[in-house]
Amino acid sequence: MKATRCGWRLYLFVALGLLLVSMLLAGCGRPATVNAQIRRNLSNVYAGEGSPDSLPLLSDDDWHELRDMSLITTDADGEGWLQINQCMLVYIFQNSGLVKAACPKSDLASGNVTCALEGTSAYNNDCSDKIVIQTLSAEVVLEGTWISITYLPEQQVTILSVFEGHATARPVRNAELRTMGEAIEIPTRHFWFSEPGITADPIAGLAAREPHPFDQLPLLIEKLHLESWVERLRVRAADDNVPFPDFATPAETPSPTPTVPPTPTRTATPTPRPVIRFWADPTSITAGERTTLRWQIENVRGAFLSGGNIKERAAPGPSGSLGVSPAATTTYTLRVILLSGRQETHTARVTVKPRTNFPPKVTITTPDKDAEYWYDGYDQQRQLWYTDVTLTGSASDPEDGVLKDPSLVWTTNLTDIQKALLGAGRKVTVRLYSNVCEGVRHTITLTAADSDGNRRTDSRGIFIRTIC
């Protein structure tokens, strides 16, 4: 890869619960330019200009150019790759992000700097300039190396792991004044950690600000719960052909052991076979109906569901389901990441048949909505006021056509003063009663039924009254 003569500056900061990275270029006395591209490796990755919650989703695996002030974020399942000037690749892991900006003049003399405030990133560097990575508790200088930097803001702990090459680390003694301690070189397959202050406390029995061999790193991983980040680092290191240690069990403090006879060679435990099933239940529905996507996944790293209106989302195992109602025939995809890192896709097709039995459409023509009528008289036998009202309406059905009078039924809701049934037909004159001089409100409903028993209704409010 061609190395750049002028460097860049990356700042990681926390906002809205996301890990954000600000990339700045040291201009070297001329207009600053950085050739930066982002692509998704695992969904979901968002990139563009705007606020973190309004960024567009990267819908493909292509490289995308970054403009100044562009923002990149990933969710709990996402991973993005940032490529800078064709000589440096930064792996941005889960719940992380990056924003590209211009370099402040006050930082031009300090070279290539990265400031990390939370999370884990891996740096595969092949640039000619020295790269400086800063956190609130340490400063790391690397040149032509493969390392990871983890910063935990709650503990203010920085962890440097050198997988290939070497790096120089300096602790921060005073975070406000940014005064630094003595530099120490960290060789290959060693790690180092620190926190701000004149001194730093040990963690998991390991002394701070001293290089430790990788066989003691599991103590720190277990104590600080870094297992998920370690797994992502393992995959990325394998892709770059970088040796990665086995962190399966925590290391113990070395102690003298007696000589014992050689133990028989053990046969390596075979990798368990993956179990992957993905199907729709049922596979065929009528428009408007629902089906259920079901999956069973075992002995895999993860699975992601997409298709139709579903943006790619995690499909947790070992089994799960999701109800869907596609408007048209749709193929859903389950993308599975195997333990080896290889990916497989499994599909489930849902056939959607057009609906052939539609309900009727019902319309009340008169009276108008919320119409008012005066009383026509008083029924002495019932001791109720009344008003005679003409009701008109219609109904049609895609299969039956215009529905006939017996299929149209009129009712009122005031069943405490009269019967609910008012009559049947497209046009009826009905008598509405009131037991209050000031008036009452009837809700009139027209119900229509087609030959298959499908029913629909339309309603109107009618107020009848007099002056008392």
Side-chain angles (χ1 to χ4, degrees), residues 23 34 53 55 68 77 96 104 106 115 148 157 183 194 224 236 245 263-265 302 324 328 359 416 429 432 448 451:
M23 181 179 64
V34 168
D53 55 359
L55 297 178
D68 286 343
D77 301 308
S96 304
S106 60
C115 181
S148 73
V157 172
S194 182
L224 300 177
R236 297 283 68 81
T263 56
T265 302
V324 294
D416 57 332
T429 299
L432 303 179
S451 59

Side-chain angles (χ1 to χ4, degrees), residues 11-61:
Y11 291 95
L12 283 71
F13 56 92
V14 179
L16 302 176
L18 298 171
L19 177 67
L20 306 178
V21 187
S22 174
M23 181 179 64
L24 309 176
L25 173 68
C28 300
R30 55 183 175 80
T33 57
V34 168
N35 296 321
Q37 296 176 309
I38 185 70
R39 71 178 290 266
R40 75 174 187 185
N41 181 53
L42 297 175
S43 295
N44 291 316
V45 178
Y46 303 83
E49 299 177 66
S51 61
D53 55 359
S54 64
L55 297 178
L57 175 71
L58 295 186
S59 59
D60 55 45
D61 296 331

Side-chain angles (χ1 to χ4, degrees), residues 405-426:
D405 285 353
S407 300
L408 281 69
V409 178
W410 298 87
T411 57
T412 177
N413 67 320
L414 294 187
T415 56
D416 57 332
I417 56 177
Q418 69 180 94
K419 292 182 179 180
L421 180 62
L422 298 176
R426 285 169 287 183

Side-chain angles (χ1 to χ4, degrees), residues 10 27 56 59 138 144 158 182-184 240 257 285-286 302 308 315 337 386 399 401 457:
L10 302 178
S59 59
T158 298
E182 294 183 1
I184 182 172
D240 291 343
T257 55
I285 61 175
T286 300
I337 304 176
Y386 65 86
E399 294 81 29
T457 63

Side-chain angles (χ1 to χ4, degrees), residues 233-455:
L233 283 169
R234 186 192 306 275
V235 174
R236 297 283 68 81
D239 290 343
D240 291 343
N241 294 319
V242 173
F244 198 91
D246 182 10
F247 293 150
T249 57
E252 297 181 355
T253 302
S255 58
T257 55
T259 303
V260 294
T263 56
T265 302
R266 296 183 179 180
T267 303
T269 303
T271 302
R273 295 178 60 85
V275 176
I276 305 171
R277 292 187 62 215
F278 180 50
W279 71 101
D281 180 21
T283 59
S284 179
I285 61 175
T286 300
E289 296 179 342
R290 294 180 66 83
T291 185
T292 302
L293 302 176
R294 303 185 186 277
W295 59 87
Q296 181 182 3
I297 49 175
E298 298 178 23
N299 302 324
V300 300
R301 288 186 178 178
F304 303 89
L305 177 66
S306 63
N309 294 327
I310 303 174
K311 293 184 178 180
E312 190 171 67
R313 55 186 289 180
S319 62
S321 62
L322 179 67
V324 294
S325 180
T329 298
T330 302
T331 298
Y332 297 90
T333 300
L334 187 71
R335 183 170 62 91
V336 181
I337 304 176
L338 305 180
L339 295 178
S340 64
R342 188 170 59 86
Q343 298 189 26
E344 291 184 0
T345 57
H346 298 256
T347 60
R349 182 180 174 87
V350 177
T351 301
V352 180
K353 298 176 294 185
R355 188 182 183 99
T356 58
N357 182 16
F358 291 89
K361 181 179 180 180
V362 185
T363 304
I364 295 177
T365 308
T366 59
D368 295 334
K369 291 183 178 180
D370 298 320
E372 294 189 5
Y373 293 86
W374 296 100
Y375 293 150
D376 291 329
Y378 186 81
D379 189 323
Q380 293 291 344
Q381 183 176 1
R382 293 193 178 190
Q383 295 188 353
L384 297 173
W385 287 272
Y386 65 86
T387 300
D388 293 329
V389 179
T390 299
L391 308 176
T392 60
S394 63
S396 61
D397 183 74
E399 294 81 29
D400 298 342
V402 177
L403 299 185
K404 297 181 179 180
D405 285 353
S407 300
L408 281 69
V409 178
W410 298 87
T411 57
T412 177
N413 67 320
L414 294 187
T415 56
D416 57 332
I417 56 177
Q418 69 180 94
K419 292 182 179 180
L421 180 62
L422 298 176
R426 285 169 287 183
K427 181 177 181 180
V428 296
T429 299
V430 302
R431 177 161 291 185
L432 303 179
Y433 288 94
S434 170
N435 59 354
V436 179
C437 179
E438 292 81 0
V440 294
R441 186 180 189 276
H442 285 258
T443 298
I444 304 300
T445 300
L446 174 60
T447 302
D450 64 15
S451 59
D452 291 311
N454 296 312
R455 298 177 183 273

